[in-house]
Amino acid sequence: MAAIAYVNGRYLPLHQASVNIEDRGYQFGDGIYEVLFAHQGQLIDAKLHLARLERSLAEVEIAAPMRASSLGAVIAELLARNRAQTALIYIQITRGVARRDHAFPHPHVPPSLVITVRRKPLPPANLSAWGVSAITLPDERWARCDIKSTNLLPNVLAKEAARRAGAFEAILLDEQGLVREAAASTVWAVTAAGVLVTRPLDQHILPGCTRAALMALLDEANLRFEERALTQDELRQAREIFITSATSFVKPVLRLDGMPVGEARPGPVAEALYANYRTRFGV
């Protein structure tokens, strides 16, 4: 069966789906996006993702193309048409189609909305085969990484640098050598002193929805936790490093810049958080 996409009010075979060449997403990257994971037709952490979508739209002053309830109905219909029970849903909203000019177009230009679905299996039951490697790189992105913008060229270059180094992810460092986040995920580490650390939210990092979901689990997990920036030395000496996102869930980093992290196997903190988080899938 051909994959079906939603484009500005129409359900179309993916190979026929297209947007206008003067769409501002294509011309300027003038848009935002969101990614959700669905299992058995249920959206995981839906409230967190839809709230972030609403926030990103507000930050760049793009009108919402429809109400959240209508968006949920479109997603449900798209999952049904694609016969996808376990899948990633990609939502992209741009400022719409207008004559090329840097300033915002007339306020009555409607935003463009594209939604696609891609089947994706559930993550494994345990982390033994889920670990990856990462490299560190200077953060060369723009100054508003808290907005989930479609302007992702620096992230693309960082992920490609990781791929060429035989790694899965690139962990980005600021000018002082402090950890911000990874190219496409949130970074966590258990320090040599046994404290779980992740950077506090600010304009330099995306407010990860999986991050927020895990934060809600920390009290019951009885973990020593600090929300602060990690130094590069702390990262290299960490007992555990793991990354989180809607596609990585909780993914241990076993090697960093070619060197083992801790015992080079998934650690107890990542395993405990992953096991707790995975209950969202009803398995």
Side-chain angles (χ1 to χ4, degrees):
M1 184 184 73
I4 305 297
Y6 177 90
V7 182
N8 293 327
R10 301 175 65 197
Y11 296 93
L12 297 166
L14 192 61
H15 69 276
Q16 294 179 12
S18 62
V19 295
N20 192 296
I21 195 171
E22 289 200 305
D23 189 282
R24 289 179 62 91
Y26 174 73
Q27 296 282 355
F28 298 109
D30 187 5
I32 60 91
Y33 74 104
E34 192 59 56
V35 180
L36 298 90
F37 187 79
H39 179 57
Q40 295 181 342
Q42 299 299 309
L43 302 179
I44 306 302
D45 296 327
K47 289 184 179 179
L48 293 170
H49 285 280
L50 295 178
R52 185 171 64 179
L53 177 68
E54 183 178 322
R55 178 187 180 277
S56 292
L57 288 170
E59 288 293 312
V60 298
E61 299 181 42
I62 294 177
M66 61 179 63
R67 294 181 179 179
S69 57
S70 299
L71 183 61
V74 170
I75 292 171
E77 178 66 19
L78 199 57
L79 287 169
R81 291 189 182 220
N82 283 280
R83 299 180 186 174
Q85 289 293 302
T86 302
L88 285 179
I89 298 99
Y90 179 84
I91 304 168
Q92 180 170 298
I93 302 170
T94 75
R95 206 176 301 277
V97 177
R99 180 180 61 85
R100 192 179 191 281
D101 185 7
H102 285 70
F104 292 178
H106 191 281
H108 296 306
V109 171
S112 295
L113 170 62
V114 173
I115 308 176
T116 56
V117 165
R118 186 178 74 204
R119 290 187 182 89
K120 185 177 177 68
L122 274 177
N126 60 67
L127 293 180
S128 59
W130 196 236
V132 294
S133 59
I135 62 172
T136 54
L137 289 174
D139 190 355
E140 298 177 343
R141 301 170 302 164
W142 73 317
R144 288 301 309 276
C145 294
D146 56 309
I147 300 171
K148 201 166 177 67
S149 162
T150 55
N151 290 278
L152 293 174
L153 181 58
N155 306 64
V156 168
L157 296 176
K159 284 286 276 189
E160 176 61 14
R163 187 190 68 82
R164 293 184 181 186
F168 174 81
E169 183 60 292
I171 295 175
L172 306 176
L173 309 173
D174 68 14
E175 297 83 354
Q176 286 75 47
L178 300 175
V179 175
R180 283 184 171 161
E181 59 184 347
S185 53
T186 301
V187 177
W188 306 67
V190 179
T191 67
V195 181
L196 177 63
V197 178
T198 195
R199 187 184 179 103
L201 297 180
D202 58 22
Q203 73 272 25
H204 298 298
I205 70 169
L206 184 73
C209 294
T210 307
R211 175 192 188 278
L214 289 186
M215 294 278 278
L217 302 176
L218 294 181
D219 285 343
E220 57 190 86
N222 196 28
L223 295 170
R224 293 173 60 196
F225 172 68
E226 294 177 4
E227 201 173 3
R228 63 171 176 81
L230 282 155
T231 68
Q232 190 172 7
D233 284 345
E234 284 181 307
L235 191 69
R236 297 195 184 287
Q237 296 167 17
R239 297 181 185 179
E240 298 182 44
I241 301 171
F242 56 92
I243 55 176
T244 60
S245 72
T247 54
S248 287
F249 308 100
V250 178
K251 190 179 287 288
V253 175
L254 307 184
R255 299 186 69 84
L256 180 68
D257 291 329
M259 300 297 293
V261 175
E263 297 181 356
R265 63 185 181 186
V269 173
E271 287 181 331
L273 289 174
Y274 179 68
N276 202 325
Y277 184 79
R278 202 170 182 273
T279 61
R280 282 167 160 73
F281 306 135
V283 293

